[in-house]
Amino acid sequence: MNRFLKKDFRVMLMGLLLLASCQAYSNSEDQTIEMEDLYKDLPFSMPKVERPVFPDYQVSICDFGAKSNGVTLNTEAINKAIKAVHDKGGGKVVIPEGLWLTGPIVLQSNVNLHAEKNALIVFSSDTSLYPIVTTSFEGLDTRRCQSPISAINAENIAITGYGVFDGAGDRWRPVKKDKMTDRQWKKLLQSGGKVDESGKVWYPDEGALKASVLMADWGNKRPDMDIKEWEKMKSWLRPVLLSIVKSKKVLLEGVTFKNSPNWCLHPLSCESLTLNDVKVFNPWYSQNGDALDVESCKNVLITNCFFDAGDDAICLKSGKDKDGRRRGEPCENVIVKNNTVLHGHGGFVIGSEMSGGVKNVYVSECSFIGTDVGLRFKSVRGRGGVVENIYINHINMIDIPNDALIADLYYATKGAPGEPVPDVTEETPAFRNIHISDVFCKGAGRAVYLNGLPEMPIENISIKNMVVTGAKQGIVINKVAKISIENVDIETPDDSMIQIENTTGITINGKEYGTISEKRLLTKN
C-alpha cells in the first residue's frame, strides 16, 4: 500500500470513527441540557430565548408530488407544501425517509420543515437553479447566488428531525492543491474544471476562474460589475447553505447539514435563535467552509451541537467596516454550551467582522479536538466596533497546532516597528472585559497570544485556572491594559511561561507588576 493510499485509508477510517462518535454523542441522554438550566448563574442578564410553537397540522411533501428517487427535482413540490402550510396558519411539512433532489427551499412563517429518519435532501449542483440575489456575505452588502435554504422576514420557523441536508458544495468551491494528497488532486483534475496559472488552485469552471482574477484585491464587493456580467461567472458567487435573515423565533434542531458551497449556517439579524443538537460536516479542505456564523443576532442558544468544519466552527460576527457600522446591530445575549468541535480554524471565534459589536456572550462546557486554534478573537484597524462582556469557562482541548487562546487586533496584518500611531476613531476596534477560566489543553503550538493596538490596548482581561501541557510556547502578551492571571500552568520545553511587554495593570497570582514596557520573560520559578 503506497503512502497516498495509506493516507486515504486513514482519512476514510477517521470519517467512520467521527460518524460513530457523532451518533453516540447525539444519542446520549446525559448530554442533553435542560433549557431552564441554561440561564442559571449567567454573568449578565438576558431574556429567555423564545422557541417557535406550531399548530397541530402537518402535510407530507409527497402530497404535493414529491418523488424520492434521486432524479426527480422536487423544488416546486417542497415549496408548494411550505406555502400551503403557511397559508393554513402554520404546522409541519414532513420530508419522509428517502433520497430527495431539490433546488432552493424558501421557508415561510409558522412552518416547521421536519426531516424524518433516513431522509437525505440533496441540493442540485445545477447553478442555473440559484439566481443571483442581493444579500450580505462576510459582513458586506453584496451579491451572491440564492442559498439552498433561505428565509427572510419570517417568524416562528424551524428545521427539525433527523435528516441530512447536503449542499452539493463540491460543485461550487475552489480547492487548494496543498490541502489534498497527490491522488486526490489528480482525481479532482480529471473531474473537469479549471486550474489557475500557478497550478495551485482548482476552480469548478472557467467562469469561476475568471471571476477570481477580476475580484483580486476587491474582496467580496465590486460595484462596477452588474448582474449580466456575473451570470457567466455565477459559480464564483457561491452561497451559504442556509441563510436566515431578519427573522424571529428560529429553531434548528436534530438535523445534519453537510457539504456547503460556502459558510454552512448563517443567521443574520435574527432574534430568538436556537440551535440544539445540530450537526455540521464540511470537508477540512472546504474553502470558507465555516460551520456556523451567527451575525448581528440577539438572544441566541447554541447547545449540544457537533461541528466539523473547513474554517471557523462556532463564530459570532456583526458586519464589516462601513457596512457593519451602518447596520449597527451587535451580536448580543448568546449562550454557547455543551458543543463539540473537530477540525476547524477556530473552535469558538469572534470576528473578524465585528463592526457592529459583540457583547454578553457566555461559552461553557465545550470541547475542541484538533482545531487550528481553540478560542479565537480577531479584528483589525478599519473595523470599529466593540467586543465586550465575554465569559468563557470549562473548555477542554487537545491537539491544537496553533494558539489555545488568541486575541489579536492585527488579524491578517502586521505592525511595522516605529509606525505612527493613528488616532482613535470609529474605525478603531476594541476588545474589553473578557474573562476566561477553567481551560484545559493537551498539546498546543502556543498557549496564549494577546496582541492589542497601541492606540487601543485589549482592556480588562482575566485568565484563571488554565492548564496547557505540551505547549511549544507559553503566554505572549503585548499592548494590554489591565490583565489578571491566576493559577495558570503552562508546560513548555524551556519552562518559560509569560513573555510580556507594553502592558499596564498586570496582576499574576495576586502579585502586582504595574507596567512592563520592555519585553520581559517570566518563568515558573
Side-chain angles (χ1 to χ4, degrees):
M1 187 180 287
N2 65 41
R3 64 188 181 94
F4 296 122
L5 286 174
K6 287 180 180 178
K7 185 168 184 179
D8 284 349
F9 177 75
R10 289 196 299 270
V11 170
M12 180 181 70
L13 181 59
M14 179 63 72
L16 292 172
L17 290 173
L18 294 182
L19 179 59
S21 64
C22 176
Q23 290 172 337
Y25 174 87
S26 62
N27 292 332
S28 178
E29 292 182 3
D30 59 356
Q31 294 283 355
T32 303
I33 298 174
E34 292 293 337
M35 290 300 168
E36 291 296 323
D37 292 341
L38 291 172
Y39 305 95
K40 289 181 179 179
D41 303 321
L42 269 183
F44 51 84
S45 62
M46 66 174 279
K48 290 184 178 180
V49 176
E50 297 181 77
R51 287 170 65 98
V53 178
F54 304 96
D56 185 17
Y57 173 75
Q58 73 176 45
V59 302
S60 168
I61 61 171
C62 297
D63 299 335
F64 296 82
K67 294 182 180 179
S68 169
N69 53 26
V71 178
T72 302
L73 191 65
N74 294 295
T75 315
E76 184 177 359
I78 295 173
N79 285 301
K80 277 186 175 180
I82 291 171
K83 185 177 186 304
V85 172
H86 165 76
D87 291 345
K88 185 78 174 180
K92 183 186 292 185
V93 172
V94 176
I95 303 178
E97 174 183 0
L99 175 57
W100 308 93
L101 179 67
T102 183
I105 296 172
V106 180
L107 299 177
Q108 298 191 42
S109 295
N110 302 314
V111 174
N112 174 10
L113 185 64
H114 183 85
E116 293 188 332
K117 288 182 179 179
N118 203 25
L120 175 56
I121 300 92
V122 178
F123 289 94
S124 173
S125 58
D126 181 358
T127 59
S128 69
L129 299 176
Y130 305 86
I132 297 172
V133 297
T134 300
T135 184
S136 177
F137 178 66
E138 291 189 337
L140 297 176
D141 298 331
T142 186
R143 295 189 182 103
R144 309 299 292 181
C145 288
Q146 181 178 339
S147 289
I149 307 172
S150 64
I152 186 168
N153 294 320
E155 185 168 351
N156 212 55
I157 59 174
I159 302 176
T160 65
Y162 310 92
V164 177
F165 293 84
D166 188 304
D170 292 317
R171 168 61 184 87
W172 298 85
R173 294 188 303 263
V175 178
K176 295 179 179 178
K177 182 179 181 180
D178 61 7
K179 290 189 175 184
M180 312 197 88
T181 66
D182 286 348
R183 183 183 179 192
Q184 289 170 329
W185 181 250
K186 288 177 182 177
K187 185 176 179 180
L188 182 64
L189 297 183
Q190 290 170 359
S191 71
K194 297 289 181 179
V195 179
D196 68 354
E197 288 186 0
S198 70
K200 295 180 179 179
V201 184
W202 174 90
Y203 292 88
D205 55 41
E206 188 173 351
L209 174 58
K210 181 180 178 181
S212 73
V213 175
L214 292 174
M215 294 297 289
D217 301 322
W218 281 84
N220 290 310
K221 191 173 183 179
R222 185 162 178 173
D224 62 324
M225 293 175 61
D226 60 26
I227 289 182
K228 289 183 178 179
E229 292 177 274
W230 275 116
E231 281 294 340
K232 295 181 180 179
M233 303 179 293
K234 67 184 302 182
S235 59
W236 173 261
L237 300 178
R238 50 199 173 102
V240 299
L241 173 55
L242 179 143
S243 171
I244 299 179
V245 182
K246 295 184 182 299
S247 298
K248 295 181 179 180
K249 289 192 285 186
V250 178
L251 171 66
L252 304 178
E253 188 167 54
V255 290
T256 297
F257 300 92
K258 66 178 294 289
N259 196 22
S260 61
N262 211 311
W263 293 353
C264 193
L265 309 178
H266 183 208
L268 169 64
S269 300
C270 293
E271 184 174 343
S272 281
L273 168 68
T274 301
L275 288 91
N276 183 55
D277 192 25
V278 168
K279 292 162 280 292
V280 173
F281 296 96
N282 275 336
W284 75 273
Y285 59 81
S286 56
Q287 194 72 14
N288 307 110
D290 298 31
L292 170 65
D293 294 278
V294 177
E295 183 171 356
S296 294
C297 292
K298 182 177 182 180
N299 304 334
V300 180
L301 298 179
I302 304 167
T303 58
N304 306 309
C305 294
F306 195 101
F307 300 120
D308 191 356
D311 207 311
D312 291 331
I314 305 168
C315 192
L316 306 184
K317 300 177 180 288
S318 63
K320 183 176 180 179
D321 300 344
K322 289 182 180 180
D323 287 358
R325 293 195 298 272
R326 182 173 60 251
R327 184 198 300 154
E329 296 178 7
C331 198
E332 60 182 319
N333 299 340
V334 181
I335 298 174
V336 180
K337 196 166 185 178
N338 198 41
N339 302 287
T340 299
V341 177
L342 302 182
H343 304 104
H345 290 186
F348 172 77
V349 181
I350 296 180
S352 67
E353 305 93 322
M354 40 66 69
S355 300
V358 178
K359 62 182 180 180
N360 296 347
V361 177
Y362 180 59
V363 182
S364 183
E365 299 176 28
C366 293
S367 296
F368 308 142
I369 304 168
T371 57
D372 290 358
V373 171
L375 301 165
R376 187 181 194 189
F377 303 81
K378 52 183 177 177
S379 191
V380 69
R381 286 173 177 146
R383 295 283 191 269
V386 178
V387 171
E388 60 183 345
N389 302 338
I390 313 299
Y391 302 86
I392 301 175
N393 61 34
H394 300 292
I395 306 297
N396 298 316
M397 316 181 208
I398 61 172
D399 301 330
I400 308 298
N402 297 304
D403 300 285
L405 164 63
I406 180 172
D408 188 7
L409 285 165
Y410 280 94
Y411 172 66
T413 63
K414 291 183 179 180
E419 66 179 357
V421 178
D423 294 333
V424 173
T425 69
E426 66 173 4
E427 296 184 359
T428 308
F431 292 166
R432 64 192 183 206
N433 303 333
I434 301 173
H435 306 284
I436 297 168
S437 63
D438 300 299
V439 173
F440 304 94
C441 178
K442 183 179 184 297
R446 180 168 50 190
V448 177
Y449 181 60
L450 307 177
N451 189 30
L453 296 169
E455 71 273 22
M456 184 61 71
I458 297 169
E459 182 180 356
N460 190 26
I461 183 168
S462 66
I463 304 173
K464 181 179 180 181
N465 301 336
M466 182 176 186
V467 178
V468 182
T469 60
K472 295 179 181 178
Q473 191 176 359
I475 299 174
V476 178
I477 300 171
N478 191 15
K479 297 182 284 291
V480 175
K482 192 178 179 183
I483 178 168
S484 173
I485 297 175
E486 182 180 348
N487 193 27
V488 172
D489 187 12
I490 311 298
E491 178 190 275
T492 61
D494 58 0
D495 280 338
S496 64
M497 185 165 157
I498 303 175
Q499 175 185 303
I500 191 167
E501 62 182 313
N502 302 318
T503 295
T504 63
I506 306 162
T507 303
I508 302 176
N509 292 329
K511 181 179 178 180
E512 296 183 1
Y513 286 79
T515 298
I516 296 179
S517 299
E518 299 296 324
K519 186 181 295 185
R520 182 174 174 183
L521 187 65
L522 304 178
T523 65
K524 292 181 180 180
N525 300 322

